[in-house]
Amino acid sequence: MPVNPVGIEAGAAGVMIRLKPIEASDRDWFLATLTRNRESLARWLPLNQPGETDDMFFERQRVLCEEGDRSQKSFRRSGVMRDGTPAGFFALNSISRGLAWEADAIWWVDSGFRGRGVATAGVCALLDHAFGDLPGGLGLHGVHCGIEAGNDPSVRVAEKCGFVHDPSKRSHLQVGDRWAMHEFYLATPASFDRLRGNAD
């Protein structure tokens, strides 16, 4: 399946963002953003592996982006504003193509862009690609995300993007050196279309 090397652009609430492959040229902003946001990111997301420097962490993400595009097992992208300013990171992991074609979503944005609709625009762009028809999109039937209790901003973003809480599914997931209970949310092409007012 061909991958657009330029990126995909979409938005929500008047905010546009472009999702582009992670490249070596992203290293400086990625490391600066990681340093600036480490405390808040580490609260909710797994970051460096044991013994892994920030530079090694970035390189792992870059390689995972390339490998994911090649294998179609993941889709990892930098989020860039229209003026070229990097704003965050958006990914689909564990893409499976069995009876149901599904993936897990994860995202984060730089603290300077929080509360401005950037995360919502980025996740909508991610879902646009996830649910888009092959070969331009991934043709997925569902996208899950696990959100830890107390992460209210991520819950708001998820709901604005068409994710629906699934009260029957919850699980402990590892975040750094701790395990935390996560609630699960599901977005489908139908829930995403309803959000955009495109349902039949």
Side-chain angles (χ1 to χ4, degrees), residues 21-40:
I22 302 170
E23 302 167 322
S25 59
D26 295 320
R27 184 182 307 272
D28 288 347
W29 82 258
F30 187 98
L31 296 179
T33 301
L34 184 60
T35 298
R36 186 165 54 248
N37 296 273
R38 183 179 304 281
E39 184 175 350
S40 60

Side-chain angles (χ1 to χ4, degrees), residues 120-161:
T120 300
V123 175
C124 281
L126 196 66
L127 295 180
D128 253 342
H129 185 64
F131 298 139
D133 293 334
L134 296 169
L138 297 177
L140 301 184
H141 305 140
V143 174
H144 304 267
C145 66
I147 302 177
E148 183 178 345
N151 190 352
D152 296 336
S154 286
V155 171
R156 288 194 293 271
V157 169
E159 291 176 342
K160 288 177 183 177
C161 296

Side-chain angles (χ1 to χ4, degrees), residues 3 49 62 94 99 102-103 115 163:
V3 175
Q49 295 178 346
R62 188 191 66 76
S94 303
L99 293 177
E102 299 179 326
F163 283 89

Side-chain angles (χ1 to χ4, degrees), residues 46-132:
L47 298 177
N48 307 63
Q49 295 178 346
E52 183 179 60
T53 66
D54 288 351
D55 196 66
M56 293 164 63
F57 176 42
F58 167 77
E59 185 62 17
R60 176 163 59 89
Q61 300 306 310
R62 188 191 66 76
V63 170
L64 285 171
C65 174
E66 290 183 353
E67 292 178 347
D69 287 350
R70 187 165 49 249
S71 68
Q72 297 300 306
K73 298 281 182 67
S74 67
F75 180 79
R76 294 166 179 259
R77 292 297 186 265
S78 299
V80 181
M81 306 306 291
R82 272 192 163 173
D83 65 0
T85 304
F89 177 78
F90 302 85
L92 295 168
N93 297 319
S94 303
I95 296 175
S96 63
R97 298 182 185 276
L99 293 177
W101 290 14
E102 299 179 326
D104 298 326
I106 189 172
W107 64 85
W108 57 259
V109 296
D110 190 351
S111 57
F113 290 95
R114 292 175 193 163
R116 295 166 50 183
V118 173
T120 300
V123 175
C124 281
L126 196 66
L127 295 180
D128 253 342
H129 185 64
F131 298 139

Side-chain angles (χ1 to χ4, degrees), residues 159 163-170 183-186:
E159 291 176 342
F163 283 89
V164 177
H165 182 225
D166 180 358
S168 69
K169 186 177 180 183
R170 56 202 310 257
E183 300 288 337
F184 280 81
Y185 297 75
L186 172 66

